[in-house]
Amino acid sequence: MSPTRSTLIGMIGLAGLTACDVAPTGEGSTGVITGEMRADYLDAVASVGCVLRDERQYGAVDFQAGLSREQTLAITANYLSRGKAERVGDGNSIRINTGPCAA
């Protein structure tokens, strides 16, 4: 096996090991979402009452957690897809129900 091929195989294996902390890539990518970022997000969401309704809540979460809007939206979408958040009210608001926001 050539050195280049073995390096490529090693990189693919490493990517597989870190997949749980990597957001989808591509245009508009959010990059890596770490466990620390998710914890900061949950603390920030708890500080706004565990419900994301509009720019006031999203802006506060972005700022407090040190996240870009894309990262905040990616984390929120992940919690929705895993049943750790739910749409409430008019369908535009999202209640996080995990971490400090668990009922």
Side-chain angles (χ1 to χ4, degrees):
M1 187 179 304
S2 72
T4 304
R5 186 173 178 181
S6 64
T7 301
L8 180 60
I9 291 171
M11 290 173 65
I12 291 169
L14 180 59
L17 290 174
T18 61
C20 58
D21 272 351
V22 177
T25 59
E27 190 173 330
S29 172
T30 59
V32 174
I33 302 292
T34 66
E36 181 179 352
M37 293 164 81
R38 286 189 295 270
D40 291 343
Y41 166 91
L42 288 174
D43 289 340
V45 170
S47 79
V48 297
C50 299
V51 177
L52 300 169
R53 287 185 183 87
D54 56 36
E55 179 61 29
R56 289 173 292 185
Q57 288 82 32
Y58 280 97
V61 170
D62 295 343
F63 179 75
Q64 290 178 41
L67 301 171
S68 69
R69 178 58 52 94
E70 292 79 17
Q71 290 169 323
T72 297
L73 293 173
I75 294 170
T76 303
N78 180 269
Y79 284 131
L80 278 167
S81 71
R82 293 175 35 213
K84 295 186 177 205
E86 60 187 346
R87 295 198 179 274
V88 295
D90 62 3
N92 292 323
S93 299
I94 298 170
R95 178 182 311 281
I96 304 300
N97 52 30
T98 189
C101 294

